[in-house]
Amino acid sequence: MNDTTQTPHRAEHPPTRTAGAERTPAPDPGSPRRRRFAPERWAAWGFLAPVTAYLVLFYAYPLYRNLDLSLRHYTVRSFVDGDAPFTGLANYREIWHDPTFLPALVHTVLFTAVSLLFQYGIGLALAVFFFQRFRLSATLRALFLVPWLLPLIVSASTWSWMLNSDSGVVNTALHAVGVDPVNWLTAPTWSLVSVIIANIWIGIPFNLVVLYSGLQTIPESLHEAASLDGANAWQRFRRVTFPLLRPVSAITLLLGLVYTLKVFDLIWIMTKGGPVDSSTTFATWSYRLGFGNLLPSFGPGAAVGNLLVIAALVFGLIYIRVQRKQASA
């Protein structure tokens, strides 16, 4: 009898774990480390990289260079050898004591304020007029965009021809009704008026388009309710339309302000800031200091340009503050 001996199964015991050999748990998908290296974050940075590079190359770096230019004594030779001594605020003191500073400041304020006032007022009136949706409304509205679409050099040259003292159509029309010719571009009294008129004509279409878009966002039911309450057209505009257009009006005026502050080519082509600085603004003065002389003054020209940047920045911050107050009210 063959006895088969069966080996008893050994009881398997889990291996003992030492204190230092514990298994590291897998990272939680919601942990900060996991989120830091998540593909979504890399994709977001990938989308932001082109915009960031564009802002740095075409906004931040030029502003830095212009600021550095205004704080140093640059000459033509300095641009070649790169040796421009640091002068601090000397360039700003120079333009402050320059006799052109005060007239240029006054002309800049007048040019900007009068242009904005008439551009916004006429643009708003045209937007309300075309919002009536009559026949040929779309066609006429498209025709009003022509001044906005034309290159500024074409618009400025056209106005220079129209306002010419000898052969301009404006003086021809004035002569036809018995009015003496006006030296629009060559008389110190009229040169600033001439460039303001041309700038108003160019800026009206922008105000028309933006304000017309704002009118389309106002519910028609509000106008109908005001009509049922007995409000006439003027009362509906004053109490319903205009208050609801305030956000659109604010951004329209801000963009118009920034654009008008930097208007250079229109004034330069029509009057070159003259005669006798009668139409000189900060924009034309900055260009003339930096590029309009045989011996350019790069530092003072950059300083004048920085004053325009500061003005635009101040009004931008005021706009942001007003918007935040309205949002929290």
Side-chain angles (χ1 to χ4, degrees), residues 120-132 211-212 214-215 218 222-224 226-227 230-246 249:
Y120 177 79
I122 299 175
L124 178 60
L126 290 174
V128 174
F129 174 72
F130 286 121
F131 196 69
Q132 306 303 317
L211 294 174
Y212 184 86
L215 290 175
I218 300 176
L222 297 179
H223 295 282
E224 295 176 355
S227 299
N232 55 31
W234 169 248
Q235 290 173 335
R236 292 197 300 271
F237 172 79
R238 186 166 61 90
R239 299 186 177 275
V240 178
T241 304
F242 190 72
L244 294 177
L245 272 181
R246 284 178 182 172
S249 298

Side-chain angles (χ1 to χ4, degrees), residues 59 111-113 115-117 119-120 148 199 202-211 213 246-263 308 311-320 323:
Y59 284 90
F111 181 80
T112 304
S115 295
L116 287 181
L117 177 63
Q119 286 174 356
Y120 177 79
W148 193 27
N199 190 63
I202 293 173
I204 287 174
F206 171 77
N207 288 260
L208 168 60
V209 170
V210 178
L211 294 174
S213 301
R246 284 178 182 172
V248 180
S249 298
I251 191 62
T252 302
L253 291 173
L254 176 63
L255 294 176
L257 172 72
V258 173
Y259 168 79
T260 308
L261 281 175
K262 66 182 184 65
V263 168
L308 292 176
L313 180 62
V314 167
F315 283 103
L317 294 176
I318 293 174
Y319 168 77
I320 294 175
Q323 290 296 104

Side-chain angles (χ1 to χ4, degrees), residues 2-8:
N2 296 328
D3 295 334
T4 58
T5 60
Q6 297 179 355
T7 304

Side-chain angles (χ1 to χ4, degrees), residues 125-294:
L126 290 174
V128 174
F129 174 72
F130 286 121
F131 196 69
Q132 306 303 317
R133 297 186 180 90
F134 54 89
R135 183 179 296 181
L136 297 179
S137 174
T139 303
L140 293 176
R141 194 168 66 249
L143 291 176
F144 268 94
L145 295 179
V146 172
W148 193 27
L149 301 177
L150 288 175
L152 277 176
I153 188 172
V154 176
S155 301
S157 301
T158 302
W159 276 100
S160 296
W161 170 73
M162 292 174 58
L163 297 176
N164 186 274
S165 302
D166 300 323
S167 58
V169 295
V170 175
N171 276 345
T172 302
L174 292 177
H175 179 73
V177 296
V179 179
D180 294 334
V182 178
N183 296 322
W184 296 99
L185 304 177
T186 57
T189 309
W190 292 100
S191 59
L192 184 62
V193 176
S194 302
V195 294
I196 289 176
I197 292 174
N199 190 63
I200 291 172
W201 180 78
I202 293 173
I204 287 174
F206 171 77
N207 288 260
L208 168 60
V209 170
V210 178
L211 294 174
Y212 184 86
S213 301
L215 290 175
Q216 292 179 317
T217 63
I218 300 176
E220 189 64 28
S221 58
L222 297 179
H223 295 282
E224 295 176 355
S227 299
L228 293 176
D229 291 338
N232 55 31
W234 169 248
Q235 290 173 335
R236 292 197 300 271
F237 172 79
R238 186 166 61 90
R239 299 186 177 275
V240 178
T241 304
F242 190 72
L244 294 177
L245 272 181
R246 284 178 182 172
V248 180
S249 298
I251 191 62
T252 302
L253 291 173
L254 176 63
L255 294 176
L257 172 72
V258 173
Y259 168 79
T260 308
L261 281 175
K262 66 182 184 65
V263 168
F264 155 77
D265 36 15
L266 177 72
I267 302 175
W268 192 259
I269 292 173
M270 292 183 64
T271 64
K272 288 185 171 56
V276 199
D277 292 335
S278 58
S279 58
T280 295
T281 61
F282 276 168
T284 58
W285 188 28
S286 175
Y287 176 83
R288 191 175 64 193
L289 287 172
F291 305 98
N293 298 316
L294 294 177

